[in-house]
Amino acid sequence: PSLEHEVARREVERVSEEFWMYIRAELTQIKEQASDPDLVRKVNNILEISADIHKKLKNDQSKLANMVDGTGKWRKKEAQRLTDLVQRRLEHLQNPPDCNTAKKMFCNLGKGCGYGCQLHHVTYCLIMAYATQRTLILQSEGWRYASKGWESVFLPLSKTCRTTGGQTTSRWGPNSMTDDAQIIELPIVDSLSPRPRFLPLAIPEDLADRLTHVHGDPSAWWVGQFVTYLTRPNAMLEQFLDEAKQKLGFTNPIVGVHVRRTDKVGMEAQFHSVDEYMRYANEWFDIYEKQHPGVQRRVYLASDDPGVLHEAKKNYPNYIFVSDNEVSKTASLGSRYTDASLRGVILDTYLLSRCNYLVCTFSSQVCRVAYELMQPLHGDASEWFKSLDDIFYFGGQNAHNWLAVEDHQSRREGEISFNAGDTVGVAGNHWDGYSKGRNAKTGKSGLFPSYKTVNKIDRVKMPTYPEVTD
Ligand code: GDP
């Protein structure tokens, strides 16, 4: 299928999802405000039937996507080729023949935050290194999660070049793109100045067409490549992950649920009940069951709150819950920064990324890491998630814009207007048919119907690594 065909097909899938979210939200509101029991019954009926139609549509769409002989296979193979290419480019960048003369980027792991946040910090460093063709040197001794550093769990970022031994060092600044200094030091992304265009959610121009052809969220896929390279397990971790997978009885099909509670709730995110997560696990299995009758429902449950597993098991007896509860306990008892808690959160993100579907909150970096890792693994897994809050983002990203594809006239207070072709800076999707954003032309912020816009992905010139062949 052509690029246009694939883009159109995914657009149909996206808009039918927005349609269903809109109907569900509006009807639920009517139901909650109604005092007439007859009306409530009627609305419930419409909701039930619409939910059923939605599931049938999704099932039909997934059949259609793979109907033409071999398209499913082609998509997966092409995505895999792109993954191999990017991984080999990173390998090439990170292994210069002469470390003494190689241009380097220096990054300190010691950002004061959790594992997901620190991993994203290093991800940003590696993206900077890739785009400036400098080998990334990571300073990780004394890491709060493992005092011996990065290599106590992951493969070294380089086989040939791990030291900063260079003549000249400068900090990232206005001239860094042409700076001859052998080493450039990076600050945390929040203090980066100037901010280059190649930061996420940008994708490299040279791969953009191929990538857009096979993947619905090229930005997440691109970030996922860097996270994948960074988290290649060392032999000991690999053995631990394999054994844990076996011991826990992790088998597909399985839905991954990540419930982020403790310190996050109230401060940075809202509380969500177990039922809210399970509703989408149910929905996924209802659709899956259409082609696989009698499937055993399984959920991989990860959380920093040990009470969640007990509640889930009690209220969903038709599910098998796979969970590393021990580890979750350690995570929430204040001893978060230990070897055991590091292995725990690595195991959780690893197994969540191997699930068939992910239900979580994108406000959590743990959940976003899992989603990012998912992308290079499964062809196009861009729709394999339900986030209960944010849309996908990368901390410190450049402005995320959507493009209006139809005119819109505000219908109520708090809604914005736009014309087809306008750029809308997106703040979030309310998952009820509406998103929030700012019309760049009028400067007005507010709600607008999500279906009238499409994602606008920045394609930015980056080095093409011609030495690495496809
Ligand atoms: P965020 O705060 O959720 O955005 O993510 P961070 O990774 O920056 O910080 C949260 C920390 O809490 C993690 O690094 C873990 O140490 C711990 N944590 C949160 N959720 C889980 C989970 O599901 N499993 C485990 N093992 N640890 C978790």
Side-chain angles (χ1 to χ4, degrees), residues 125-193:
C125 291
L126 188 56
I127 290 173
M128 294 291 288
Y130 177 95
T132 54
Q133 266 180 295
R134 287 172 172 273
T135 300
L136 181 66
I137 309 292
L138 181 66
Q139 156 70 42
S140 73
E141 277 97 71
W143 187 15
R144 68 192 330 183
Y145 279 99
S147 55
K148 293 207 185 85
W150 196 253
E151 288 154 32
S152 58
V153 277
F154 301 124
L155 289 181
L157 298 192
S158 171
K159 295 189 226 56
T160 62
C161 192
R162 298 186 222 173
T163 56
T164 44
Q167 281 77 38
T168 45
T169 302
S170 66
R171 292 187 65 81
W172 178 263
N175 304 319
S176 290
M177 288 308 286
T178 49
D179 195 340
D180 265 346
Q182 194 181 357
I183 307 169
I184 292 184
E185 280 181 21
L186 287 174
I188 58 170
V189 70
D190 319 67
S191 328
L192 188 72
S193 174

Side-chain angles (χ1 to χ4, degrees), residues 306-367:
V308 166
L309 179 64
H310 178 71
E311 183 186 342
K313 276 186 169 164
K314 196 175 89 206
N315 295 339
Y316 296 88
N318 58 330
Y319 274 81
I320 290 179
F321 287 95
V322 180
S323 182
D324 193 347
N325 197 29
E326 275 314 301
V327 176
S328 304
K329 257 191 230 130
T330 350
S332 71
L333 289 177
S335 53
R336 266 165 50 173
Y337 309 119
T338 65
D339 278 9
S341 82
L342 176 61
R343 281 204 304 273
V345 68
I346 293 174
L347 177 66
D348 277 342
T349 46
Y350 172 84
L351 289 180
L352 286 170
S353 72
R354 266 106 184 135
C355 290
N356 300 69
Y357 193 70
L358 187 58
V359 188
C360 58
T361 45
F362 271 173
S363 57
S364 168
Q365 312 220 35
V366 172
C367 157

Side-chain angles (χ1 to χ4, degrees), residues 62-304:
S62 89
K63 280 200 260 178
L64 197 59
N66 298 306
M67 195 159 278
V68 182
D69 251 5
T71 40
K73 257 198 209 135
W74 162 78
R75 231 175 264 127
K76 234 179 146 159
K77 214 170 131 194
E78 172 68 353
Q80 189 58 48
R81 276 183 63 172
L82 285 166
T83 289
D84 291 346
L85 178 62
V86 175
Q87 292 301 311
R88 276 186 292 115
R89 284 182 182 182
L90 286 169
E91 192 86 46
H92 174 79
L93 172 72
Q94 285 303 108
N95 291 289
D98 182 4
C99 189
N100 289 322
T101 54
K103 291 272 174 69
K104 300 169 190 175
M105 199 64 118
F106 179 75
C107 180
N108 195 324
L109 178 55
K111 185 175 180 179
C113 54
Y115 169 77
C117 166
Q118 292 185 325
L119 176 54
H120 279 140
H121 169 58
V122 188
T123 301
Y124 134 76
C125 291
L126 188 56
I127 290 173
M128 294 291 288
Y130 177 95
T132 54
Q133 266 180 295
R134 287 172 172 273
T135 300
L136 181 66
I137 309 292
L138 181 66
Q139 156 70 42
S140 73
E141 277 97 71
W143 187 15
R144 68 192 330 183
Y145 279 99
S147 55
K148 293 207 185 85
W150 196 253
E151 288 154 32
S152 58
V153 277
F154 301 124
L155 289 181
L157 298 192
S158 171
K159 295 189 226 56
T160 62
C161 192
R162 298 186 222 173
T163 56
T164 44
Q167 281 77 38
T168 45
T169 302
S170 66
R171 292 187 65 81
W172 178 263
N175 304 319
S176 290
M177 288 308 286
T178 49
D179 195 340
D180 265 346
Q182 194 181 357
I183 307 169
I184 292 184
E185 280 181 21
L186 287 174
I188 58 170
V189 70
D190 319 67
S191 328
L192 188 72
S193 174
R195 299 173 44 81
R197 281 192 62 220
F198 53 70
L199 285 176
L201 303 171
I203 58 169
E205 194 178 52
D206 68 312
L207 302 177
D209 273 345
R210 283 177 73 189
L211 195 46
T212 316
H213 201 163
V214 291
H215 203 276
D217 191 350
S219 306
W221 183 94
W222 181 240
V223 172
Q225 293 298 334
F226 292 84
V227 178
T228 299
Y229 184 85
L230 289 169
T231 57
R232 295 166 308 160
N234 69 17
M236 239 167 67
L237 179 65
E238 194 164 359
Q239 193 186 348
F240 165 76
L241 293 173
D242 285 349
E243 282 175 10
K245 196 174 168 186
Q246 288 274 333
K247 210 173 71 196
L248 296 174
F250 182 99
T251 48
N252 297 85
I254 190 164
V255 170
V257 171
H258 175 239
V259 181
R260 181 74 169 92
R261 295 260 175 89
T262 61
D263 58 312
K264 195 88 170 177
V265 174
M267 302 288 287
E268 294 172 36
Q270 281 182 350
F271 177 91
H272 295 280
S273 68
V274 170
D275 291 345
E276 284 178 77
Y277 295 87
M278 287 305 293
R279 163 195 204 164
Y280 295 103
N282 270 329
E283 192 177 286
W284 189 86
F285 274 109
D286 285 349
I287 297 164
Y288 186 83
E289 204 163 44
K290 286 183 188 293
Q291 288 180 48
H292 305 87
V295 60
Q296 169 63 54
R297 295 185 176 217
R298 250 193 207 85
V299 157
Y300 183 77
L301 185 65
S303 180
D304 54 338

